[in-house]
């Protein structure tokens, strides 16, 4: 995707450094973060400088390649690095898929495997866009949750890729963007992406979705996925489940867009998916620029109350109309993909 006329991918590697678009600073500042070793890349994943299923996967694959480069195949070092990278975030399947694939490639093949994962991610997302855009009719009013745009992958995105393709083909489309508390990936990242692409949209409070659905103003919902279990149950950003329940109540088609690398055949149902619990500061603090442009953090919740902060929820397969993948649109998961 282009930012200020320059084509970017969200994450790439040069020498032994991993470079990534720092999503922590967006939409207020656009900056590239350099991670000089696998520990720094793990830090960037943990700290959510890079986030979103495919982008985490590509960064994790590159972190594994960095580890091979750092120690030239010392097996204790490589094993410790693998465990460290896998501990960065627990829910996104792409992280585990990428680390294992680069680990299996060994010292000689690590970098090529990491580059292949990044390329395949971008290619799959482009295909998801082409395929998914068929679901978007001219004049469609679509809703999405969190950020499953190009920032969440290496390029193009999953849930937003069909929107970009439909817009590029001349269809009119309007996007309701859930703000996505507590971290605001919708309000900050999805809105920024759509504005850059010139796609009409509006940010809505998370709890306004039912209001617009009940008013007949939403035609279609497309969300991304962090992990899809073998039976189709889907982990995605917290709040996805309630959108799916509301969509079912009001007869709105609810699609999950994800590359095949997000499908986890080892986990039978959503009950087996580990849900990350994040720190309370995500809920109690917010950050943004003051009038001088300096980014500041302020408290937005009463101090000294306990906080619960699950990062994801599980939408049961029965609430999902179909999955949009690079292999096609499907209501059931084909084990032949894996
Ligand atoms: O916690 P995040 O921002 O890494 O959340 C993951 C996500 O980006 C979303 O759940 C997204 O909708 C699916 S990943 C493309």
């Amino acid at each position: 995707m282009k930012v200020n006329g320059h084509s970017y991918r969200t994450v790439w590697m040069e020498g032994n450094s991993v470079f990534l678009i720092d999503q922590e600073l967006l939409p207020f500042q656009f900056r590239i973060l350099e991670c000089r070793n696998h520990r720094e890349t793990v830090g960037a994943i943990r700290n959510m400088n890079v986030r979103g299923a495919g982008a985490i996967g590509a960064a994790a694959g590159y972190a594994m390649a960095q580890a091979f480069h750092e120690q030239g195949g010392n097996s204790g070092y490589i094993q410790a690095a693998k465990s460290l990278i896998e501990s960065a975030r627990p829910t996104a399947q792409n992280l585990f898929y990428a680390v294992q694939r680069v680990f299996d490639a060994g010292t000689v093949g690590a970098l090529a495997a990491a580059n292949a994962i990044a390329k395949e991610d971008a290619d799959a997302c482009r295909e998801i866009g082409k395929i998914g855009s068929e679901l978007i009719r001219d004049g469609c009013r679509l809703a999405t949750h969190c950020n499953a745009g190009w920032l969440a992958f290496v390029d193009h995105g999953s849930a937003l890729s069909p929107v970009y393709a439909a817009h590029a083909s001349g269809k009119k489309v309007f996007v309701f963007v859930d703000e996505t508390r507590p971290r605001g990936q919708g309000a900050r990242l999805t809105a920024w992406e759509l504005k850059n692409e010139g796609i009409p949209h509006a940010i809505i409070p998370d709890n306004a979705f039912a209001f617009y659905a009940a008013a007949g103003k939403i035609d279609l919902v497309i969300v991304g996925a962090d992990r899809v279990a073998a039976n189709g149950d889907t982990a995605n950003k917290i709040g996805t489940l309630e959108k799916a329940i509301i969509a079912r109540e009001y007869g709105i088609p609810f699609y999950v867009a994800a590359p095949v690398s997000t499908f986890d055949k080892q986990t039978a149902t959503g009950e087996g998916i580990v849900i990350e619990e994040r720190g309370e500061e995500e809920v109690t603090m917010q950050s943004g620029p003051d009038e001088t442009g300096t980014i500041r953090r302020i408290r937005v919740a009463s101090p000294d109350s306990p906080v619960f902060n699950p990062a994801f929820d599980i939408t049961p397969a029965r609430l999902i109309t179909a999955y949009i993948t690079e292999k096609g649109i499907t209501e059931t998961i084909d084990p032949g993909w894996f």
Side-chain angles (χ1 to χ4, degrees):
M1 282 289 173
K2 288 200 166 159
V3 180
N4 301 327
H6 188 287
S7 281
Y8 282 96
R9 290 194 156 183
T10 51
V11 51
W12 67 95
M13 192 163 165
E14 283 171 30
N16 195 42
S17 284
V18 173
F19 294 87
L20 45 93
I21 295 175
D22 190 347
Q23 300 191 37
E24 266 296 273
L25 299 175
L26 286 174
F28 311 116
Q29 293 171 14
F30 183 81
R31 204 174 291 164
I32 305 300
L33 181 68
E34 178 178 1
C35 305
R36 289 159 303 177
N37 54 56
H38 81 274
R39 286 194 186 79
E40 289 187 3
T41 307
V42 168
I45 296 171
R46 229 186 263 283
N47 193 36
M48 294 178 67
N49 303 96
V50 58
R51 51 140 297 283
I56 290 174
Y62 282 131
M64 198 69 242
Q66 282 178 304
F68 274 109
H69 192 265
E70 285 152 19
Q71 280 299 310
N74 170 328
S75 68
Y77 186 89
I78 298 300
Q79 195 59 56
K82 179 172 186 278
S83 304
L84 182 74
I85 303 164
E86 287 176 337
S87 73
R89 295 195 67 190
T91 308
Q93 164 67 3
N94 293 63
L95 182 149
F96 298 89
Y97 162 79
V99 169
Q100 191 63 49
R101 188 165 153 192
V102 178
F103 178 83
D104 290 343
T107 310
V108 175
L111 180 59
N115 278 329
I117 289 165
K119 180 178 182 318
E120 286 164 21
D121 182 84
D123 290 348
C125 286
R126 189 188 321 100
E127 208 51 33
I128 286 171
K130 248 191 255 165
I131 292 168
S133 67
E134 287 162 24
L135 298 169
I136 299 177
R137 62 161 180 78
D138 192 28
C140 182
R141 299 157 307 170
L142 179 146
T144 192
H145 188 62
C146 194
N147 173 261
W150 70 271
L151 287 166
F153 288 85
V154 175
D155 205 351
H156 307 290
S158 58
L160 290 187
S161 189
V163 174
Y164 294 138
H167 176 74
S169 73
K171 289 179 192 166
K172 285 199 176 56
V173 49
F174 181 88
V175 183
F176 287 90
V177 178
D178 282 343
E179 60 175 346
T180 319
R181 282 282 290 148
R183 215 176 171 94
Q185 290 96 326
R188 297 168 79 113
L189 304 176
T190 297
W192 181 78
E193 283 192 24
L194 292 171
K195 188 201 70 182
N196 287 347
E197 292 299 309
I199 295 176
H201 65 280
I203 299 165
I204 60 169
D206 286 329
N207 44 11
F209 181 84
F211 173 82
Y212 288 107
K217 295 204 166 149
I218 299 174
D219 303 311
L220 176 67
V221 180
I222 308 181
V223 297
D226 293 274
R227 189 183 292 246
V228 183
N231 74 338
D233 292 351
T234 295
N236 195 50
K237 180 52 59 188
I238 192 76
T240 303
L241 171 60
E242 63 186 50
K243 311 307 172 217
I245 294 168
I246 292 164
R248 176 59 53 94
E249 171 68 17
Y250 291 104
I252 303 166
F254 185 95
Y255 286 87
V256 167
V260 166
S261 52
T262 302
F263 290 72
D264 172 13
K265 70 171 174 189
Q266 316 287 3
T267 301
T269 70
E271 278 180 27
I273 299 177
V274 177
I275 300 294
E276 179 181 10
E277 183 78 28
R278 292 192 62 89
E280 62 179 55
E281 288 210 341
E282 258 187 7
V283 177
T284 60
M285 308 292 286
Q286 290 280 286
S287 65
D290 65 15
E291 55 289 345
T292 69
T294 309
I295 293 187
R296 303 217 182 268
R297 282 166 70 68
I298 56 163
R299 177 170 284 279
V300 293
S302 179
D304 304 327
S305 288
V307 170
F308 299 147
N309 185 19
F312 303 95
D313 55 27
I314 306 289
T315 300
R318 68 187 156 74
L319 294 178
I320 297 167
T321 306
Y323 306 84
I324 309 169
T325 78
E326 69 272 34
K327 308 260 186 196
I329 298 172
T330 179
E331 288 175 21
T332 50
I333 293 161
D334 181 348
W337 291 343
F338 303 110

